[in-house]
Amino acid sequence: MTTDQLSATFSALADPTRRAILARLSQGEVTVGELAAPFDMTLAAVSKHLRVLERAGLVTRGRDAQFRPARLDATPLAAASEWIGDYARFWEDSIGALDHYLNALQQIRITAHDKENTHG
């Protein structure tokens, strides 16, 4: 079963360890051993995370003699960011409507307070 690129990207990003790996790779390419150092996991476990990231297109692996340094490929993140950005308009509209509603309530409260002080 194949998944679309956006689904693969979000699936890869769903794991906090993989997000941490991507954050580390954003600073430059590193080996699996260097990636594994801050984590309490085996090299094999880090390699599994890297394979998920590679399948999602977020990581590429090079060849440098016997080393296979990993590097970030942020291209799929652009599509994910664009997809999320499409919902920014929804949130802006929702927040705008809430702001309008709160301003209306505040105006009603001020008007009621003024009438109370005028007639009271």
Side-chain angles (χ1 to χ4, degrees):
M1 178 174 155
T2 61
T3 58
D4 65 280
Q5 180 62 52
L6 191 58
S7 295
T9 300
F10 282 122
S11 179
L13 294 174
D15 185 275
T17 300
R18 290 193 288 268
R19 291 192 304 271
I21 288 171
L22 290 177
R24 171 55 186 93
L25 291 174
S26 72
Q27 300 168 12
E29 68 179 34
V30 293
T31 65
V32 175
E34 292 168 323
L35 278 174
F39 299 105
D40 186 25
M41 63 178 63
T42 64
L43 289 176
V46 172
S47 291
K48 285 182 182 181
H49 283 295
L50 279 174
R51 281 193 295 277
V52 171
L53 292 167
E54 283 182 276
R55 281 193 304 271
L58 294 164
V59 169
T60 59
R61 303 284 298 273
R63 283 245 186 250
D64 185 13
Q66 69 269 27
F67 299 107
R68 293 193 63 214
R71 71 182 62 81
L72 174 66
D73 182 350
T75 305
L77 294 175
S81 178
E82 183 179 327
W83 185 86
I84 291 169
D86 289 344
Y87 290 89
R89 183 174 32 259
F90 167 77
W91 289 111
E92 289 168 2
D93 291 347
S94 296
I95 291 170
L98 177 61
D99 185 50
H100 179 74
Y101 175 73
L102 292 174
N103 285 334
L105 285 179
Q106 185 176 23
Q107 189 60 44
I108 290 169
R109 187 173 160 238
I110 289 169
T111 302
H113 182 269
D114 288 347
K115 283 183 180 178
E116 184 179 291
N117 285 338
T118 303
H119 300 319

